Amino acid sequence: MVQDELYMKEALHQASLAFSVGEIPIGAVITYNDTIIATAYNLRESLPCATAHAELLAIEKACRTLQRWRLTGCTLYVTVEPCPMCAGAIVNSRLDRLIYGCPDPKGGAVHTLFQILSHPQLNHHPEVIAGIQQESCANLLKDFFRQRRQKKKGSLT
């Protein structure tokens, strides 16, 4: 559990980098043999690309690092519950574990809206642990959207 906390702190750091460039602050880290092999944060606005989610970018980096598409033996740490697209990528890349910070009530596809990773007809079911650094992850999102609303409000006056 201590190790999970440390890696989630790195995912939070990645999320803060996203925040600093105006992206929704979601960060991801992938580990293999207790070593970080990939880090990423949301880049949808910067690229612009609808699929530039932190999880997908980290999965792509991890595949290149290990030179294989199967990420067995790997753990994904992400600050927010993955969406359906990212949950599908988690299944398809065969990640062993998913650790996420806070739930996503509007798009979560692990526990909140959908339960893709535990769907009985899928051929892969990673271990899932939710709530690691939950308050810090949620607060970063709240701060980002509060700041965005204030900017929007300021531009209307």
Side-chain angles (χ1 to χ4, degrees):
M1 196 64 123
V2 172
Q3 201 77 338
D4 290 342
E5 295 277 343
L6 290 172
Y7 292 132
M8 186 59 77
K9 285 184 180 179
E10 177 56 31
L12 274 162
H13 172 69
Q14 293 296 311
S16 70
L17 294 173
F19 191 122
S20 71
V21 297
E23 295 279 355
I24 294 175
I26 299 174
V29 169
I30 295 180
T31 62
Y32 178 70
N33 291 337
D34 291 323
T35 302
I36 293 174
I37 61 166
T39 62
Y41 54 86
N42 272 8
L43 288 172
R44 288 191 314 171
E45 302 296 331
S46 300
L47 287 181
C49 180
T51 62
H53 288 206
E55 300 96 320
L56 294 183
L57 296 171
I59 287 169
E60 289 173 11
K61 286 180 184 179
C63 289
R64 283 194 305 273
T65 298
L66 297 177
Q67 300 201 350
R68 56 186 167 99
W69 66 266
R70 285 185 184 91
L71 296 179
T72 51
C74 294
T75 299
L76 169 64
Y77 297 84
V78 64
T79 54
V80 179
E81 179 183 6
C83 72
M85 176 176 65
C86 294
I90 290 165
V91 170
N92 285 315
S93 64
R94 310 297 196 269
L95 283 155
D96 283 354
R97 297 174 71 222
L98 166 68
I99 314 295
Y100 73 87
C102 64
D104 180 356
K106 294 183 179 182
V110 177
H111 291 123
T112 307
L113 295 179
F114 306 105
Q115 295 78 41
I116 291 173
L117 300 185
S118 60
H119 194 284
Q121 290 183 295
L122 291 174
N123 64 342
H124 180 71
H125 301 98
E127 175 188 356
V128 177
I129 299 172
I132 302 292
Q133 296 283 329
Q134 181 171 339
E135 190 173 331
S136 297
C137 294
N139 286 340
L140 191 59
L141 280 172
K142 288 175 190 173
D143 291 346
F144 176 81
F145 286 110
R146 184 180 311 113
Q147 185 180 79
R148 185 183 263 186
R149 284 190 301 275
Q150 288 171 345
K151 282 182 182 177
K152 197 173 192 178
K153 193 182 265 186
S155 68
L156 295 176
T157 57

